[in-house]
């Protein structure tokens, strides 16, 4: 029965379903030890290229949003400067400047209440990047779970831990 492939004898034990044992061994052994012509390696390579494109596009969109925010605040300062020194006086502009600043503080506090994280620019940038990345993955039909699974199976056992992709500051 062992020669026929119906039963598998291994270390004085008989396994009645050798196909299940083979499947478990295939899952346990990394794909890096499998033949070079394995279709999963090709699929991982395609997914890596697609992910790199999505990462670059998300980074580009976040940078555009951040530069737009800088432009908005520069225009606001310029407008306040113009209104304070040419159009009106400080007596008129002081309450407007106060309520604008207080509104900014309220927005920061609301961000903290909603996200339970400090309202820092770095945190905002990373959250914005992850948000854009998720939307782009959905738009381009990119399966991140499948990518991570293939990456886990294809890594060489001699390599260190695999990364989950580049961080925003590494791009």
């Amino acid at each position: 029965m062992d020669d026929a492939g119906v039963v598998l004898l291994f270390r004085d034990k008989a396994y009645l379903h050798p196909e299940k044992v083979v499947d478990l061994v295939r899952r346990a052994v990394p794909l890096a030890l499998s033949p070079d012509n394995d279709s999963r390696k090709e699929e991982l390579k395609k997914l890596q290229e697609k992910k790199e494109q999505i990462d670059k596009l998300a980074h580009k969109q976040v940078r555009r949003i951040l530069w737009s925010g800088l432009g908005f605040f520069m225009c606001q300062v310029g407008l306040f400067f113009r209104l304070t020194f040419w159009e009106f006086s400080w007596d008129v502009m002081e309450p407007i400047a106060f309520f604008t600043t207080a509104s900014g503080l309220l927005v920061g506090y609301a961000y903290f209440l909603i996200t339970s994280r400090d309202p820092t620019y770095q945190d905002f940038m990373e959250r914005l990047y992850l948000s854009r990345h998720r939307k782009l993955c959905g738009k381009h039909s990119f399966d991140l779970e499948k990518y991570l699974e293939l990456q886990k199976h294809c890594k060489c056992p001699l390599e260190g831990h695999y990364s989950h992709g580049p961080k925003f500051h590494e791009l």
Side-chain angles (χ1 to χ4, degrees), residues 62-143:
V62 168
R63 298 305 294 178
R64 190 178 305 133
I65 291 169
L66 293 175
W67 279 104
S68 299
L70 177 65
F72 169 76
F73 286 121
M74 288 176 63
C75 288
Q76 181 182 14
V77 167
L79 178 68
F80 281 15
F81 187 81
R82 168 83 183 178
L83 292 174
T84 301
F85 295 107
W86 279 282
E87 306 298 330
F88 303 117
S89 67
W90 178 243
D91 293 334
V92 174
M93 290 304 297
E94 183 180 17
I96 296 171
F98 170 78
F99 285 115
T100 303
T101 305
S103 298
L105 291 173
L106 287 173
V107 167
Y109 189 68
Y111 178 85
F112 170 73
L113 289 176
I114 292 169
T115 64
S116 298
R117 297 175 74 168
D118 288 334
T120 62
Y121 293 116
Q122 186 69 31
D123 182 62
F124 177 70
M125 184 172 57
E126 287 175 6
R127 289 180 59 83
L128 190 58
Y129 173 78
L130 291 174
S131 171
R132 297 305 314 156
H133 193 269
R134 270 193 305 266
K135 286 182 181 179
L136 288 171
C137 283
K139 181 180 178 183
H140 293 283
S141 302
F142 182 79
D143 188 2

Side-chain angles (χ1 to χ4, degrees), residues 150-168:
L150 283 173
Q151 190 180 34
K152 185 172 116 180
H153 284 292
C154 290
K155 77 174 180 117
C156 180
L158 301 176
E159 294 176 2
H161 297 290
Y162 64 96
S163 66
H164 291 285
K167 298 281 186 190
F168 184 80

